[in-house]
Amino acid sequence: MRVLMVGAGGVGTAITRIAARRSFFEHMVVADYDRARADSAVAGVGADERRFSAVRLDASDADGVRAALAEHRCDVLLNATDPRFVLPLFDAALAHGAHYLDMAMSLSRPHPARPYEECGVKLGDAQFARSAEWTAAGRLALVGMGVEPGLSDVFARYAADELFDEIEEIGIRDGANLVVDGYDFAPSFSIWTTIEECLNPPVVYEADRGWFTTPPFSEPEVFDFPEGIGPVECVNVEHEEVLLIPRWLKARRVTFKYGLGDEFIGVLRTLHKLGLDRTDPVIVDSGGTGRVAVSPRDVVAACLPDPAGLGDRMHGRTCAGTWVRGTRDGRPREVYLHHVVDNEWSMREYGSQAVVWQTAINPVTALELIASGAWYGSGVLGPEALPPQPFLDLLSEYGAPWGMREDTPVDGTA
């Protein structure tokens, strides 16, 4: 297997460090708009550097990406960029005849008249619209294969296959107790992506209603996370799992709730009030050198520390997981399947902070399953379309074990 990975930020760099310990691929080309970042990611793999090379590549240039796939004889494109670049990379992979993986799907657009009641363009709609072309080409586009979405969807499929006869609700619940020393506000993941998913109308799925939206930060609940993280208030945000899971699994309700905290929510609300969450450019005076067009959201991102560089200042754990409620053998059951990463461990073992490392390990695991033939298919598929046990077994082999907590009340009531 020869892989073109586009994006050498925090997650992309962590991918190289994880992949360097595995033998399933022949070569990985690490591409980024900033050649220095690609060079740095390759240099960080140490003795295995011969299986990696670095190039400069513009992710928005589908023709240039296709040419790079051909030049380096790559049969898989791994998208490690933010969601703005999904479609040109997706298109380039199909045009070249390569398989494709991403960790976030094509962007949504709110309903023009009823944004907090009805869906407009949903996450991934543009990709699923082309599924027949991928099937006809005999190529796999595995979408949403990070941790959330990704591992969370694998957990959902495992629960449907092994743990439940009927499912009432599948709820992705994400929480952490991470602290970053020296900063009043320092997100542990891309602020561009965080703004996108948290300020867009959250999507909820119900079997008798289909997909619908609510106002941001709706339906707050306190969820108790394992391994010392404890209770965290979680709220609805827009996320791919709600769009993916109902396509393959039967559940009466599907939700995604994120543990943000009051301070984080307050910052996001303020950014929205000031229009600093906008992606369309505004014209500003550049200080005597002329007027330039800049995206307010890009300015916010540039003013905050790079999440990939915060690992030495971070403490605590992050948890991704899938809570499932339903019945087994006629009795109520409730479980939480989870994956917890301690930042001290991920920094010591890989030099990557916990959130980006937890995201990165899942596409590498998926690539290895595709290389071995344990995972295969064609068309545009989500992780829940593929058998979960090989993935979970390999994840444990990577040294990243997952867990399951039984949450069923002792008296067996729902």
Side-chain angles (χ1 to χ4, degrees), residues 184-226:
D184 291 331
F185 184 75
S188 59
F189 201 70
S190 162
I191 189 62
W192 200 101
T193 303
T194 301
I195 289 172
E196 182 72 18
E197 64 190 22
C198 292
L199 291 179
N200 278 350
V203 181
V204 175
Y205 172 84
E206 293 180 356
D208 59 354
R209 187 175 173 183
W211 287 294
F212 61 94
T213 57
T214 71
F217 316 120
S218 58
E219 298 182 359
E221 68 174 57
V222 175
F223 191 84
D224 188 18
F225 289 92

Side-chain angles (χ1 to χ4, degrees), residues 332-352:
R333 190 178 195 188
E334 191 172 323
V335 304
Y336 182 57
L337 301 149
H338 55 82
H339 186 256
V340 178
V341 179
D342 182 272
N343 187 72
E344 182 181 351
W345 175 87
S346 66
M347 286 298 296
R348 182 178 67 249
E349 291 293 318
Y350 287 89
S352 296

Side-chain angles (χ1 to χ4, degrees), residues 199-369:
L199 291 179
N200 278 350
V203 181
V204 175
Y205 172 84
E206 293 180 356
D208 59 354
R209 187 175 173 183
W211 287 294
F212 61 94
T213 57
T214 71
F217 316 120
S218 58
E219 298 182 359
E221 68 174 57
V222 175
F223 191 84
D224 188 18
F225 289 92
E227 298 193 29
I229 296 174
V232 178
E233 185 176 76
C234 300
V235 294
N236 281 331
V237 301
E238 180 190 50
H239 231 255
E240 285 90 344
E241 292 94 326
V242 180
L243 287 311
L244 286 169
I245 288 170
R247 294 176 184 271
W248 285 279
L249 305 179
K250 286 187 177 181
R252 292 187 179 91
R253 196 166 197 263
V254 182
T255 56
F256 181 100
K257 294 190 180 183
Y258 195 6
L260 293 170
D262 290 341
E263 181 185 16
F264 205 122
I265 290 173
V267 170
L268 292 173
R269 289 190 189 279
T270 300
L271 291 174
H272 180 63
K273 272 185 186 178
L274 297 175
L276 295 175
D277 59 327
R278 292 168 51 190
T279 58
D280 49 310
V282 297
I283 305 300
V284 299
D285 191 325
S286 63
T289 59
R291 294 169 65 79
V292 296
V294 296
S295 157
R297 193 185 300 184
D298 288 342
V299 172
V300 171
C303 290
L304 290 171
D306 180 357
L310 295 175
D312 290 333
R313 294 174 174 262
M314 284 173 59
H315 310 279
R317 295 174 175 176
T318 184
C319 178
T322 303
W323 166 77
V324 188
R325 178 169 59 91
T327 58
R328 179 72 166 188
D329 298 326
R331 298 177 61 83
R333 190 178 195 188
E334 191 172 323
V335 304
Y336 182 57
L337 301 149
H338 55 82
H339 186 256
V340 178
V341 179
D342 182 272
N343 187 72
E344 182 181 351
W345 175 87
S346 66
M347 286 298 296
R348 182 178 67 249
E349 291 293 318
Y350 287 89
S352 296
Q353 56 104 318
V355 176
V356 299
W357 186 89
Q358 188 183 48
T359 303
I361 192 170
N362 296 286
V364 181
T365 305
L367 283 174
E368 183 160 348
L369 292 174

Side-chain angles (χ1 to χ4, degrees), residues 1-6 59 62 65 69 74-107 124 126-128 130 134 137-146 240 363 366-367 370 375 377-383 386:
M1 173 181 282
R2 296 180 63 87
V3 181
L4 172 64
M5 181 181 71
V6 184
V65 174
L69 285 164
C74 294
D75 44 14
V76 178
L77 190 158
L78 172 56
N79 177 359
T81 64
D82 72 53
R84 288 173 290 181
F85 303 107
V86 162
L87 288 179
L89 296 175
F90 180 81
D91 292 344
L94 178 60
H96 176 68
H99 299 302
Y100 169 88
L101 278 80
D102 64 30
M103 292 165 271
M105 293 158 57
S106 59
L107 292 171
Q127 291 171 284
F128 281 112
R130 302 191 65 187
W134 283 85
R139 293 293 179 266
L140 170 64
L142 180 55
V143 298
M145 192 60 253
E240 285 90 344
L367 283 174
I370 292 168
W375 269 14
S378 61
V380 179
L381 301 181
L386 300 166

